[in-house]
Amino acid sequence: MAVYWHRRDLRGVDNRGLARAVTVDDGPVVPVFVFDPTVLEHASSIRVACLLEALEGLRAWYRERDADLLVARGESSDAIPRLAAEHEAETVVWCEGYSGLAADRDRATTAALEDDGVSCETVHDAIHHEPGSITPNEGDHYSVFSYFWKKWRDREKRDPVAPPTANDLATVSGEPLPSLTELGFEKPNAGSTTNSDQEPTLQLPTVTQDAARDRLESFCADDIYRYEDERDVPAADATSRLSVHLKWGTIGIREVYAATERARERAETDDQRANVTAFQRQLAWREFYAHVLAFNPETVTENFSGYENEIPWRNDPDELAAWKAGETGFPIVDAGMRQLLAEGWMHNRVRMLVAAFLTKDLLIDWREGYDWFRRTLVDHDTANDVGGWQWAASTGTDAQPYFRVFNPTTQGREYDPDAEYIREYVPELADASADEIHGWQDLEPADRERVAPAYPAPIVDHADRREEAIEAFERARETSAE
């Protein structure tokens, strides 16, 4: 008998670790999940709410097969050996994680199991090509994405794996899942910067295997053919919205890739095929950052670039608070931050804009922004978020050059020309024209009062702050080189 330890792979279909557990020993598989307090210390109420929904869906999937998902609470290094002993398991199987936290947890659990005479086996599942399998001639990973992408796209991808049958699974019965409160979290609520008397409702996605598959099928039937053309337009909502499902593993990456290949086969034009490739390139970015983090776990708290203490971050608490609340007076930035508060999600182009605004216009340490995203995003993924934040802050691998500073006004005009997205999330500007919204920074105070009296004036002057940021980064680079 084997124990299969679910972590961020909350599905039965296309799960390489679960498939391996079925074959590793004679006897049925006992599926388990552990609420580890060390891991939960880094969680948030919004993500734990999604986790519990995904677990309920996974438990229902097992129960349809006359099995169950067993749950335990405690340090993994204590709980997993205990569960293995209770079921007389000879082997415990799980899927690899790529963060430093996951590596520490796995080392401790492996040592405890080996002390008990139980063997361990880990499987790469969350990405196509495990860290160390796509490398330059010298070094353990690529630090420039374009080189990684050339090799990634030409590598053969594994096919999805079949789910276990009912006969492969142990007949067990588990305890009810703990509630948010029992795990030490409050019910997540939507943030609001309006004066509405009605409590806002947080619009969380449905995080289940069925919802993931429905979303994938819908995306590959239509939006994928316009992906490259519309993915940067937040009002178009043409992105896949699969990030939360890939984060929790309610769908497998091989199933996603196979669906995109089928979409390519159905494509009728070269332009449609190019759009499919553009989406696959984003899957490669996700994998690129996983490789970088696996070999550089310290980048969760340290600059990848190496100049750690030289950047003179201003870290103004009032400006940070305004950014978090979506009250900066820069409409496209505030729309993104309010979408985050309302949905626990933000359009990817806008994620880049708000990150650039925080680190360059406000010169606030990227770690403050990363921490806020960690607390508020439903799809927070350590590798992706660290990579994205350090890219915006010009401190990471293959990062945005420090002298290229996004102009939020120009970006708003380019990607939300009619201000549809801005008006949706910033109701104070609902009656303003697109020109007034995009020209907000240049309006006279009297005109701002006339157009939208409840919306704040810009908290900084972008042109001035751009010059300050460039000078600060130039000094930091010079100091680090001395």
Side-chain angles (χ1 to χ4, degrees), residues 242-449:
L242 288 170
S243 56
V244 68
H245 297 291
L246 291 171
K247 185 266 184 309
W248 291 115
T250 47
I251 199 163
I253 190 62
R254 290 155 300 281
E255 186 172 359
V256 172
Y257 188 83
T260 67
E261 286 293 279
R262 291 193 296 272
R264 186 194 301 279
E265 293 170 0
R266 294 192 301 270
E268 299 176 353
T269 66
D270 289 342
D271 182 64
Q272 287 184 336
R273 283 183 281 274
N275 276 274
V276 173
T277 299
F279 178 72
Q280 291 178 338
R281 193 169 187 267
Q282 295 305 305
L283 297 179
W285 265 110
R286 174 179 175 270
E287 202 150 309
F288 171 72
Y289 281 140
H291 285 219
V292 172
L293 181 66
F295 287 103
N296 304 274
E298 73 282 355
T299 56
V300 175
T301 56
E302 299 177 12
N303 293 335
F304 181 90
S305 61
Y307 50 95
E308 181 58 38
N309 300 314
E310 292 83 1
I311 301 173
W313 301 114
R314 295 178 69 250
N315 289 339
D316 183 291
D318 293 333
E319 292 180 0
L320 177 60
W323 176 82
K324 289 180 178 180
E327 296 281 355
T328 68
F330 287 83
I332 190 69
V333 172
D334 292 341
M337 298 306 294
R338 296 193 195 184
Q339 181 182 29
L340 176 61
L341 292 173
E343 301 173 15
W345 188 86
M346 190 192 304
H347 187 276
N348 189 58
R349 163 57 60 171
V350 189
R351 292 190 197 200
M352 290 190 291
L353 299 184
V354 303
F357 184 83
L358 183 76
T359 57
K360 301 298 176 56
D361 285 72
L362 304 185
L363 207 63
I364 289 176
D365 194 327
W366 65 266
R367 282 156 283 219
E368 294 283 358
Y370 169 80
D371 183 65
W372 186 244
F373 272 26
R374 179 183 63 82
R375 292 164 56 190
T376 53
L377 279 173
V378 295
D379 61 0
H380 165 71
D381 176 275
T382 301
N384 284 347
D385 280 356
V386 167
W389 272 102
Q390 292 223 41
W391 182 90
S394 302
T395 62
T397 178
D398 205 7
Q400 170 88 332
Y402 71 91
F403 50 81
R404 292 181 184 170
V405 180
F406 282 129
N407 183 322
T409 298
T410 302
Q411 293 284 311
R413 287 186 187 278
E414 182 173 358
Y415 296 108
D416 192 28
D418 297 324
E420 296 176 65
Y421 174 78
I422 291 170
R423 289 194 192 92
E424 179 177 358
Y425 293 101
V426 186
E428 303 97 305
L429 296 172
D431 296 327
S433 68
D435 286 341
E436 289 168 332
I437 290 172
H438 294 311
W440 188 254
Q441 186 175 11
D442 299 322
L443 291 180
E444 295 295 328
D447 291 327
R448 292 196 196 107
E449 179 67 21

Side-chain angles (χ1 to χ4, degrees), residues 192-246:
S192 176
T193 56
T194 68
N195 294 322
S196 172
D197 293 331
Q198 185 174 0
E199 182 176 336
T201 301
L202 187 60
Q203 302 172 19
L204 292 180
T206 301
V207 189
T208 63
Q209 297 176 77
D210 288 342
R213 191 162 292 109
D214 289 346
R215 183 62 193 165
L216 175 64
E217 291 177 359
S218 174
F219 175 70
C220 287
D222 187 14
D223 286 340
I224 197 171
Y225 297 121
R226 300 188 303 276
Y227 182 77
E228 178 69 3
D229 303 325
E230 297 185 2
R231 68 186 180 94
D232 283 328
V233 181
D237 196 22
T239 59
S240 73
R241 295 268 188 158
L242 288 170
S243 56
V244 68
H245 297 291
L246 291 171

